[in-house]
Amino acid sequence: MSAGEHRTTLAAEWGGGQSPFAVGWPKFMMWLFLISDTLTFAGLLTGYGAVRLALGRWVHQFEIFNIGLVSLMTFILICSSATMAVAVGAARAGDRPRVLRYLLLTVLGGLFFLGAQAYEWTHFIGEGARLFTNPWGIPQFSATFFVITGFHGGHVTAGVIYLLLTALRWRRGTIQPESVEIAGLYWHFVDLVWVFIFTLLYLI
């Protein structure tokens, strides 16, 4: 391609009236949001790692956490990503009943996760854990636990509400398949972040 043709192509792509990234603006905005949220979670997890390295000691997670319960939460959340993927595929295929069914299954997975997390928090608080104190001797442990899992839980809560609204609007026929796909991007992101949290906070 000559320099003149290259300039013409750039002018056409950035000249307005079309997306230079070949995606609609709602999906583009979602990608920007996810990038900024990725940086936020990365900052939290990096800070968590820095605290652990600075202290040089930490609690034994397997003695405190109910790893079986958290593993089940993780499994359900990963399964909800699969149901979300089916909903997106059905939206592209125009299978409206299937979209609604799998969106609601995804919501069910999210609600299970939130219920299990509320149970875990209740257990922790009952054991005496607070934001800056805990019975295991390292105050930073409970602080990082509550902040990171709480921040993620807020995202799951927002995601459940978002999916419910998407299901309602899909049922009314007021949205296009791309809206289901955008909701799927958010939900997959929330699930992926939890895999990192589960690994770094509960296992390592």
Side-chain angles (χ1 to χ4, degrees):
M1 180 183 294
S2 68
E5 290 172 335
H6 184 63
R7 281 195 296 272
T8 302
T9 301
L10 284 178
E13 291 178 346
W14 292 89
Q18 63 176 320
S19 168
F21 299 104
V23 295
W25 70 265
K27 188 186 288 186
F28 183 62
M29 290 296 105
M30 176 57 80
W31 275 116
L32 287 182
F33 169 74
L34 295 182
I35 290 171
S36 66
D37 227 20
T38 298
L39 295 176
T40 305
F41 275 108
L44 285 174
L45 292 174
T46 301
Y48 163 74
V51 167
R52 285 188 61 168
L53 288 175
L55 290 175
R57 60 193 176 90
W58 202 246
V59 300
H60 298 288
Q61 294 101 316
F62 283 81
E63 296 176 0
I64 297 173
F65 294 124
N66 184 340
I67 297 298
L69 173 67
V70 183
S71 298
L72 179 62
M73 291 164 57
T74 305
F75 176 73
I76 294 294
L77 208 57
I78 290 172
C79 287
S80 74
S81 238
T83 56
M84 188 69 231
V86 173
V88 171
R92 288 173 179 164
D95 189 343
R96 302 189 66 83
R98 192 175 172 86
V99 173
L100 196 58
R101 190 162 57 248
Y102 279 89
L103 276 177
L104 293 178
L105 276 175
T106 307
V107 167
L108 196 62
L111 288 175
F112 176 87
F113 180 89
L114 289 173
Q117 192 168 56
Y119 173 81
E120 184 185 35
W121 273 47
T122 303
H123 173 73
F124 256 60
I125 293 171
E127 291 284 326
R130 299 293 184 270
L131 191 56
F132 297 109
T133 60
N134 66 66
W136 303 286
I138 302 178
Q140 292 86 348
F141 166 70
S142 57
T144 53
F145 170 79
F146 283 126
V147 169
I148 293 175
T149 60
F151 190 57
H152 179 267
H155 278 68
V156 176
T157 304
V160 166
I161 295 170
Y162 183 18
L163 291 180
L164 281 173
L165 291 175
T166 301
L168 181 63
R169 294 173 66 202
W170 179 263
R171 187 171 181 272
R172 291 177 175 172
T174 57
I175 57 174
Q176 298 299 314
E178 187 186 37
S179 299
V180 180
E181 188 178 343
I182 293 170
L185 283 176
Y186 178 83
W187 193 255
H188 293 317
F189 169 77
V190 169
D191 292 359
L192 180 62
V193 168
W194 177 255
V195 172
F196 282 97
I197 293 174
F198 175 62
T199 304
L200 297 175
L201 210 67
Y202 292 87
L203 299 182
I204 297 177

